[in-house]
């Protein structure tokens, strides 16, 4: 579970070019298994994510030039349209990396994970903490800042999804004020995606969230 936060951790919106490779590695550690259906080869998958990541839609936690965690933000229209990997269905950007069939499959597979945020919410399009930074409160700080951003943009909720094979994450989200709103079964394709259900959770942003003064 999350421990006390580190005083020198900086939370800021926008992924710098210098931190991009670290972000790809953190996302691969957290989501590589789920992304395998879109791009099976790990090196190509990481290159694809590195090319697709939308810097302006990424909230980061860093300590100096070390990336500790990152969260993708998505909204209906501005300010975070498209989420972590953008909203384009155009495979041409990845043809040199994956070939035409691979590029088409990667874009299609990635878009299947789109979550169509509602007008009154910010959707957390993936949140990941580096293994070496777990227990420092990085995830809690990222969630607190997302709630602050949502409130600043006049949103009523922060929403995220967690898979049923990650009960520890679900328990943490519940501790900081999220509640389950829907459970979507994936039993029919569990052998391909590696989990049986997607659990949607939301947090009202009217009150100050846990971890933020």
């Amino acid at each position: 579970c999350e421990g006390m936060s580190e005083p020198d951790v900086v939370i800021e919106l926008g992924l710098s070019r210098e931190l991009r490779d670290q972000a790809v590695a953190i996302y691969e550690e957290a989501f590589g298994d789920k992304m395998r259906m879109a791009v099976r080869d790990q090196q190509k998958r990481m290159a694809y994510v590195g090319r697709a990541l939308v810097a302006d839609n990424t909230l980061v936690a860093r300590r100096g030039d070390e990336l500790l965690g990152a969260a993708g933000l998505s909204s209906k229209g501005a300010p975070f349209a498209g989420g972590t990997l953008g909203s384009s269905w155009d495979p041409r950007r990845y043809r040199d990396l994956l070939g035409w069939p691979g590029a088409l499959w990667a874009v299609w597979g990635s878009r299947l994970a789109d979550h169509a945020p509602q007008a009154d919410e910010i959707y957390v399009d993936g949140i990941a903490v580096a293994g070496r930074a777990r227990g420092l409160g990085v995830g809690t700080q990222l969630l607190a800042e997302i709630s602050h951003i949502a409130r600043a943009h006049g949103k009523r909720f922060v929403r995220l999804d967690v898979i049923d094979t990650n009960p520890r994450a679900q328990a943490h989200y519940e501790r900081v004020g999220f509640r389950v709103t829907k459970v979507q079964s994936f039993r029919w394709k569990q052998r391909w995606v590696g989990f049986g259900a997607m659990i949607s959770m939301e947090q009202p942003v009217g009150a100050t969230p846990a971890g933020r003064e």
Side-chain angles (χ1 to χ4, degrees):
C1 64
E2 296 283 354
M4 296 299 292
S5 62
E6 292 286 291
D8 54 350
V9 173
V10 175
I11 308 294
E12 60 188 9
L13 188 60
L15 177 66
S16 69
R17 187 167 299 179
E18 293 75 19
L19 295 178
R20 201 173 187 89
D21 287 346
Q22 293 183 60
V24 170
I26 289 172
Y27 277 123
E28 172 63 21
E29 182 182 4
F31 306 118
D33 287 344
K34 292 189 344 187
M35 285 286 293
R36 188 175 289 124
M37 187 177 74
V39 184
R40 294 193 62 84
D41 180 84
Q42 184 185 45
Q43 288 188 333
K44 290 183 178 180
R45 182 168 63 246
M46 293 177 71
Y48 167 73
V49 171
R51 193 175 294 186
L53 272 176
V54 180
D56 291 344
N57 293 352
T58 305
L59 184 70
V60 304
R62 63 174 179 84
R63 183 166 49 197
D65 59 359
E66 178 188 18
L67 187 66
L68 303 178
L73 306 183
S74 183
S75 60
K76 184 175 182 178
F80 306 114
T84 304
L85 300 182
S87 57
S88 174
W89 286 81
D90 188 350
R92 288 175 294 182
R93 188 180 178 194
Y94 312 104
R95 181 183 61 177
D96 63 316
L97 175 65
L98 303 171
W100 270 119
L104 286 164
W105 182 257
V107 170
W108 179 80
S110 299
R111 295 290 78 78
L112 281 180
D114 283 350
H115 295 276
Q118 301 299 308
D120 64 350
E121 68 183 17
I122 294 290
Y123 179 75
V124 183
D125 193 13
I127 182 169
V129 175
R132 62 188 177 277
R134 288 173 191 157
L136 301 181
V138 171
T140 298
Q141 292 181 77
L142 286 167
L143 288 170
E145 183 61 20
I146 293 168
S147 186
H148 174 72
I149 290 170
R151 193 160 54 244
H153 286 282
K155 307 299 184 182
R156 298 177 57 226
F157 300 99
V158 174
R159 183 167 63 90
L160 54 76
D161 292 323
V162 61
I163 57 177
D164 63 344
T165 55
N166 196 357
R168 187 175 178 180
Q170 181 181 344
H172 175 66
Y173 298 145
E174 289 172 342
R175 284 197 298 273
V176 298
F178 284 82
R179 63 182 181 88
V180 174
T181 58
K182 184 176 69 173
V183 178
Q184 182 179 2
S185 176
F186 283 84
R187 297 294 178 193
W188 60 275
K189 59 179 180 180
Q190 185 171 4
R191 61 177 295 186
W192 295 286
V193 299
F195 55 91
M198 183 77 75
I199 301 163
S200 292
M201 308 182 73
E202 70 178 20
Q203 177 197 63
V205 299
T208 302
R212 189 179 184 90
E213 298 293 330

